[in-house]
Amino acid sequence: MASSLTKEATAPGAGEKTFLGHPRGLAFLFLTEMWERYSFYGMRALLVLYLSAGVIDGGLGLNIATATAIYSVYNALVYLLALPGGWLGDRIWGPRKTTAVGAVIIMLGHFTLALPWAGSFYLGLGLIAAGSGLLKANISTMVGHLYPEKNDPRRDGGFSIFYIAINVGAFFAPLTIGTVGQTVNWHLGFAMAGVGMALGLVCFLFGFRYLSGESNVVPAPMSDDEKRAIWKKSAIWAAIAVVFYAAAGAGGLLTVNWLLWPLTILGLVLPVWYLVKMKRDRELSDTEQSRVSAYIWFFVVAAVFWGIYDQTGSTLTLFAQNDTTNTLFGFDFPSSWFQSLNPLYVMALAPVAAWLWLWLNKRGKEPSTLTKFANGVFLIGISFFVMMLAQAAASGDAKVTPLWLCSVYLIQTIGELTLSPVGLSLTTKLAPEKYGSQMMGVWFLAVTAGDSVIALLQLIGAPTDTEWWFASQGALAVLAGVAVFMFRKKVKPLMAGVH
């Protein structure tokens, strides 16, 4: 049994048929991720606009602060749930089954959003967040499984191709789902997102036989006693939550903030707790402990980066809607189209970045991973300094040219290309064996931490449409980039041979 499993697990890397020189399974993971991201970014392009649109316009009529906080908390929750998603992949179902279950739940969530009731809308958001948590950590792990050798030279390239799938889906989603949602019917747009996820599920099921055998294995299976204890604790906590919120509702006290505040605090506390838990795990070898220490540096930098970057769907979307002239060269377009700029830039610049790293590597001049991270967070800070200028230009009733946002997204994309693909690949390299899929969940917790900080600021009433909002965050990111660059030589030895 063990020998056949090894043979199956290593076969994709040496198969006769390949996908752009990579294992054939990458093609099906590419398509699955593309359609899942199509559904996710299509819905996200509409979320804040729908929440803040007046009831007469078919929206929920929420104020701007609440709408942006819901967006930030939802986004944080999507990535927060990647951690239990990775845990289920590691301990109970294995990555392949966990991904399939997640895809089904996401699909049901989008179709629930399509129902014309406020209650079903929030239920749909919850389903999408839960399903995304199951899918996200495990599908990226399966990409890593296609390359059994951690230093396989194709590995980074495989993740870069996979990253293109994300951006293909993200590019077409606002142009189609955004247009239909904004100009025809919000709920029809949400239904289109559900169809997209259904197509992704079909692609994944067809590609089962081309995936690594390792993807169907539970790395650290739980005993029956452990499973019973986990489900018992989960049931108790779920019951407490139901009783608490039922009592608050019966007393007329329940508002959306009763959900937003606990989730925001959880998004800040859980990442710290989990990193501490890993550091204190005595089952890890000295080498694994050292790599976890190195990873904490990358985690903090990534949290700063994503906290700013993810405002494309909230503060920047509202700036596009309220303060930007949505006309260019005589062509009118919905404000949601701005969210297609980033994936468009990625698809255009990712091959250039990949070529540049290889060209520099051959000459021994490729920047280190830490230097790339420092550049990424530095550039995201510069983008918000540009937004500060754009916000100043939009004072009063003035509306600015779309070229402001075009410039902001371009700077952010260049920063993203130096940080995100490298971060995905590095996570699989630094991950202790015990935390294989869970480590990818930890990477996504950086997004949770960053988005939770933004949600906290929004909940306490920080004005998101002022020069101060953009300038303060821009300064923080620039300083973080400089600090990482200065301390890079102290972190590199902690990576214990991973480069």
Side-chain angles (χ1 to χ4, degrees), residues 416-492:
E416 178 188 2
L417 289 172
T418 67
L419 184 144
S420 189
V422 175
L424 284 170
S425 180
L426 187 67
T427 296
T428 65
K429 293 178 181 179
L430 293 178
E433 184 176 354
K434 180 180 177 180
Y435 295 95
S437 292
Q438 294 177 69
M439 196 67 171
M440 193 59 70
V442 173
W443 166 253
F444 293 127
L445 279 183
V447 184
T448 295
D451 287 347
S452 293
V453 170
I454 299 303
L456 181 64
L457 294 173
Q458 291 163 338
L459 285 171
I460 63 177
T464 59
D465 58 351
T466 63
E467 295 96 308
W468 172 87
W469 174 265
F470 297 111
S472 58
Q473 293 176 63
L476 174 64
V478 167
L479 290 174
V482 172
V484 170
F485 184 79
M486 291 177 63
F487 287 96
R488 68 193 185 283
K489 293 183 179 179
K490 293 185 177 181
V491 179
K492 187 176 180 179

Side-chain angles (χ1 to χ4, degrees), residues 250-414:
L253 301 174
L254 189 61
T255 66
V256 69
N257 281 347
W258 282 68
L259 289 173
L260 296 180
W261 274 102
L263 291 174
T264 300
I265 294 172
L266 182 64
L268 293 172
V269 171
L270 186 60
V272 175
W273 172 83
Y274 204 83
L275 288 170
V276 171
K277 175 178 177 289
M278 290 177 62
K279 278 296 298 176
R280 298 177 66 180
D281 190 336
R282 295 182 179 179
E283 294 183 9
L284 302 186
S285 67
D286 291 342
T287 296
E288 289 177 323
Q289 283 284 1
S290 179
R291 289 174 177 172
V292 171
S293 297
Y295 192 75
I296 292 174
W297 283 80
F298 295 104
F299 181 93
V300 173
V301 174
V304 174
F305 180 92
W306 294 117
I308 295 176
Y309 178 91
D310 276 342
Q311 292 180 58
T312 55
S314 56
T315 54
L316 298 193
T317 290
L318 291 173
F319 183 85
Q321 175 80 351
N322 301 324
D323 299 303
T324 304
T325 302
N326 295 330
T327 301
L328 192 62
F329 304 122
F331 177 74
D332 296 328
F333 53 90
S335 59
S336 58
W337 281 26
F338 280 104
Q339 294 191 52
S340 287
L341 281 174
N342 169 258
L344 176 64
Y345 288 147
V346 169
M347 289 186 289
L349 297 178
V352 177
W355 170 84
L356 179 62
W357 300 143
L358 287 174
W359 186 83
L360 290 173
N361 181 268
K362 290 179 180 179
R363 289 157 178 77
K365 296 181 180 180
E366 182 181 5
S368 67
T369 299
L370 273 166
T371 300
K372 291 177 182 178
F373 263 64
N375 289 336
V377 75
F378 180 86
L379 287 170
I380 203 75
I382 295 298
S383 76
F384 258 38
F385 280 131
V386 176
M387 272 305 304
M388 174 194 69
L389 299 176
Q391 186 66 63
S395 60
D397 295 328
K399 289 194 173 186
V400 301
T401 172
L403 296 179
W404 279 107
L405 284 175
C406 291
S407 301
V408 168
Y409 285 126
L410 178 60
I411 297 170
Q412 291 189 349
T413 299
I414 296 173

Side-chain angles (χ1 to χ4, degrees), residues 27-41 135 139 162-173 196-197 199-200 203:
F28 292 92
L29 295 177
F30 179 101
L31 292 171
T32 303
E33 182 74 357
M34 181 189 74
W35 283 113
E36 187 274 330
R37 292 290 86 184
Y38 174 85
S39 69
F40 177 81
Y41 283 104
L135 185 144
I139 195 169
F162 181 73
Y163 203 68
I164 292 173
I166 297 173
N167 289 283
V168 171
F171 171 71
F172 286 106
M197 187 65 256
L199 292 172
C203 292

